[in-house]
Amino acid sequence: MKLLAIFIGICLTVFSYACKTKPQALQKKDTDSIYKFSQPSPDGIGKFYFDREIAHVMGAAGASWLERVEREKEEGTAKVIANLSLPPNANVADIGAGTGYYTFRIASQIPQGTIYAVDIQDEMLAILKSQAISKKINNVKVVKGSETNPNLPPSSIDLAIMVDVYHELAYPHEMLQAIYKALKPGGQLLLLEYKGEDPSIAIKPLHKMTVEQTKKELNANGFKVKNVGDFLPIQHFLLFNKE
């Protein structure tokens, strides 16, 4: 496993549901008591949710790293998709889709369904649209989201996924509430996050999540854990049901 490459990559990656500016995450205008503010650490924004400091978002400079040939071996992408067990007519949202690494792989599994590729960066949206055209894939819809909302219709999706995105959301409560509304009754949310319990995984701590912390935050927003998969090399497979 090329942990050094992973460590370097996380510093460049567009995994994040990223934005070009960070001030919104730091301003105390969102005075809701669900967030706390303190002096930021080198890798954080000084904003805390359930005592977890939110990580800096990353830019689009590392788009090519998302498509590296080693990614399947390092992360077990095929296993993730196989464990989703999606019906062919499922509607899925890839939130923080980046270059569409997961988007287009899932699209082939749901030929009668739709996958919404949601991102906040114009550069990523352009790549997603270009990829959909070049690959001649017609069931991908590119959506521009915001820091607080994926901008999906209510009760429109069966599954939402966030791949190494959640820990960087500047407004996790608002985003989870918006996803909850976009999910159909019985819908599910999948988070893939680097294993925060494992110090041997060469990722900065704020860019990892523990199972315990993830459950705490998701439970507070109406999600109940269905499956904590331990079959991936460096990530948690965390599947939640909409209660």
Side-chain angles (χ1 to χ4, degrees), residues 72-136:
E72 167 58 39
K73 181 179 180 181
E74 291 171 351
E75 299 184 4
T77 306
K79 290 182 180 179
V80 171
I81 295 173
N83 276 271
L84 294 178
S85 302
L86 292 168
N89 63 343
N91 291 327
V92 179
D94 183 2
I95 299 173
T99 58
Y101 184 84
Y102 268 89
T103 297
F104 296 107
R105 285 162 172 78
I106 291 174
S108 65
Q109 304 297 309
I110 52 170
Q112 285 87 52
T114 299
I115 181 160
Y116 298 89
V118 182
D119 211 282
I120 192 170
Q121 297 186 91
D122 290 336
E123 297 92 336
M124 293 297 98
L125 297 170
I127 290 173
L128 288 163
K129 291 175 182 177
S130 176
Q131 288 270 66
I133 293 170
S134 65
K135 294 176 183 291
K136 298 181 179 179

Side-chain angles (χ1 to χ4, degrees), residues 84-94 110 112-116 152-161 179-190 223 226 239-242:
L84 294 178
S85 302
L86 292 168
N89 63 343
N91 291 327
V92 179
D94 183 2
I110 52 170
Q112 285 87 52
T114 299
I115 181 160
Y116 298 89
L152 298 169
S155 302
S156 61
I157 57 174
D158 301 291
L159 171 72
I161 70 169
I179 292 171
Y180 189 95
K181 292 175 182 177
L183 287 168
K184 297 177 182 178
Q188 297 182 323
L189 170 60
L190 173 68
F223 293 93
K226 178 183 180 181
L239 186 64
F240 293 83
N241 285 335
K242 174 182 178 177

